[in-house]
């Protein structure tokens, strides 16, 4: 029996977290789309948008994100970075992935990995994806909309033919009974705590400890047909991925328009 979400249950489950306004949608196009609109109108810090169904859930580079009502979590959190945080904006992309990793580890006592920049893997399969989008008004950053989609319960991971990379759901990896609302609370609590550490050295170290494919060959593809192959060395302080290329040189790649694939 899947538990349905509603605004009251959400508010109750998230009580005590320092959130701004909470929006619940039975159905919407995309919580990120709605979040960008709300951010543009001037949102409260840590405004949360949660949807049971998304008709136009999106990933990076215009890709689609699939949400299974009753079994997934799809939400967006509006963060309003301070001046100091704005100089570390690229790390906001990594923040969501790391928060989901930590939440899974605490909730289910299992190991996680991040596929750069921010896909969360369980046993080599994708269980969560993050889409961080900035809302600019001229020179001013009105907010970062951190969209998170997580496959939690059976039936939430799309079948192999529908995804670019094997997908899984958390419940398939743990005997702990996964419950969507308590898991949502766990992720948000981690996000709020980790955000305070985003400018500490330890933040990128913690991320690197979970980095998938270290010392393994991967290919990075841009949306425009360029690709680079190399062995993963790690990530830099600003979140860029470091590869050793075939000619022996090292190169770093910014978070953004690149997609990583393991080779073989
Ligand atoms: C992501 O993009 O992984 C970011 C996904 C962010 C989704 C959240 S849900 C709440 C908020 N509102 C939104 O509209 N979006 C955010 P990317 O790395 O580009 O991966 C997209 C690819 O993942 C797709 O092309 C599919 O191959 C695959 N995919 C789609 N749905 C999936 C799922 N439920 N589980 C695993 N893989 C999936």
């Amino acid at each position: 029996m899947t538990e349905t979400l509603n605004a009251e249950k959400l508010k109750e489950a998230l009580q005590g977290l320092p959130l701004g306004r909470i929006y619940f949608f039975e159905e919407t196009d995309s919580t990120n789309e709605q979040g960008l609109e709300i951010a543009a109108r001037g949102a409260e810090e840590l405004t949360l948008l949660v949807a049971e169904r998304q008709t136009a859930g999106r990933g990076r580079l215009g890709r689609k994100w699939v949400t299974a009502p009753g079994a997934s979590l799809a939400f967006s959190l509006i963060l309003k970075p301070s001046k100091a945080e704005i100089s570390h904006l690229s790390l906001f992309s990594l923040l969501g992935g790391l928060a989901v990793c930590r939440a899974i580890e605490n909730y289910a006592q299992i190991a996680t990995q991040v596929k750069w920049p921010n896909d969360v893997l369980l046993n080599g399969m994708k269980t969560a994806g993050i889409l961080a989008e900035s809302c600019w008004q001229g020179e001013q950053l009105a907010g970062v909309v951190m969209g998170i989609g997580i496959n939690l319960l059976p039936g939430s991971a799309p079948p192999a033919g529908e995804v670019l990379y094997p997908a899984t759901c958390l419940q398939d990896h743990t005997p702990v009974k996964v419950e969507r609302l308590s898991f949502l609370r766990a992720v948000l609590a981690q996000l709020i705590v980790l955000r305070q550490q985003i400018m500490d050295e330890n933040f990128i170290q913690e991320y690197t400890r979970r980095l998938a494919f270290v010392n393994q060959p991967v290919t990075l593809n841009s949306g425009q047909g360029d690709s680079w192959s190399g062995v993963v060395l790690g990530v830099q302080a600003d979140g860029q991925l470091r590869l050793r290329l075939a000619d022996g040189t090292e190169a770093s790649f910014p978070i953004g328009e690149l997609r990583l694939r393991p080779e073989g």
Side-chain angles (χ1 to χ4, degrees):
M1 194 38 205
T2 54
E3 196 193 7
T4 52
L5 301 182
N6 63 43
E8 289 68 43
K9 283 188 198 167
L10 261 184
K11 289 205 173 103
E12 199 187 312
L14 303 178
Q15 236 172 30
L17 291 177
L19 297 170
R21 198 162 158 193
I22 299 175
Y23 293 83
F24 172 70
F25 305 90
E26 196 61 65
E27 178 176 305
T28 188
D29 46 0
S30 146
T31 55
N32 262 42
E33 189 59 36
Q34 296 298 318
L36 286 170
E37 282 176 26
I38 290 169
R41 294 202 298 268
E44 259 177 87
E45 175 69 299
L46 297 178
T47 294
L48 175 69
L49 301 93
V50 180
E52 187 70 277
R53 278 186 184 74
Q54 294 191 113
T55 54
R58 61 186 187 227
R60 301 184 306 129
L61 309 169
R63 294 189 287 251
K64 286 199 174 115
W65 182 259
V66 179
T67 298
S72 310
L73 275 177
F75 61 95
S76 301
L77 190 65
I78 301 177
L79 306 170
K80 300 176 80 172
S82 64
K83 273 213 176 93
E85 286 176 329
I86 288 177
S87 57
H88 293 74
L89 209 54
S90 61
L91 298 181
F92 272 71
S93 267
L94 308 184
L95 173 66
L98 193 48
V100 173
C101 285
R102 272 192 176 188
I104 291 178
E105 290 161 14
N106 288 342
Y107 196 94
Q109 288 83 50
I110 51 176
T112 61
Q113 283 195 307
V114 271
K115 176 170 162 292
W116 184 85
N118 49 24
D119 288 348
V120 177
L121 306 183
L122 291 178
N123 214 2
M125 294 173 281
K126 179 163 170 173
T127 194
I130 318 293
L131 176 66
E133 295 182 291
S134 298
C135 175
W136 290 96
Q137 292 184 315
E139 303 275 281
Q140 292 277 54
L141 180 65
V144 171
V145 180
M146 172 88 67
I148 304 188
I150 315 177
N151 307 325
L152 287 182
L153 303 177
S156 56
E162 286 177 26
V163 287
L164 297 165
Y165 196 81
T168 192
C169 72
L170 175 58
Q171 189 65 84
D172 283 355
H173 299 262
T174 177
V176 174
K177 188 172 183 302
V178 179
E179 197 268 319
R180 290 192 299 157
L181 285 169
S182 60
F183 189 77
L184 173 62
R185 184 184 174 98
V187 174
L188 292 171
Q190 289 293 349
L191 256 171
I192 291 164
V193 169
L194 255 183
R195 187 219 183 141
Q196 327 244 315
Q197 299 163 13
I198 204 163
M199 288 178 283
D200 301 349
E201 241 175 63
N202 198 37
F203 176 84
I204 214 72
Q205 287 169 2
E206 207 187 315
Y207 176 89
T208 304
R209 279 202 292 280
R210 296 175 177 84
L211 185 65
F213 314 120
V214 174
N215 294 325
Q216 293 175 34
V218 298
T219 300
L220 291 178
N221 291 300
S222 76
Q224 286 78 43
D226 297 314
S227 76
W228 298 265
S229 293
V231 169
V232 175
L233 298 175
V235 284
Q236 299 184 163
D238 59 1
Q240 296 200 24
L241 184 73
R242 288 172 46 235
L243 294 188
R244 184 182 311 287
L245 304 177
D247 64 4
T249 58
E250 281 185 27
S252 53
F253 297 87
I255 299 171
E257 311 290 288
L258 293 169
R259 169 155 185 269
L260 182 148
R261 261 176 180 256
E263 277 178 15

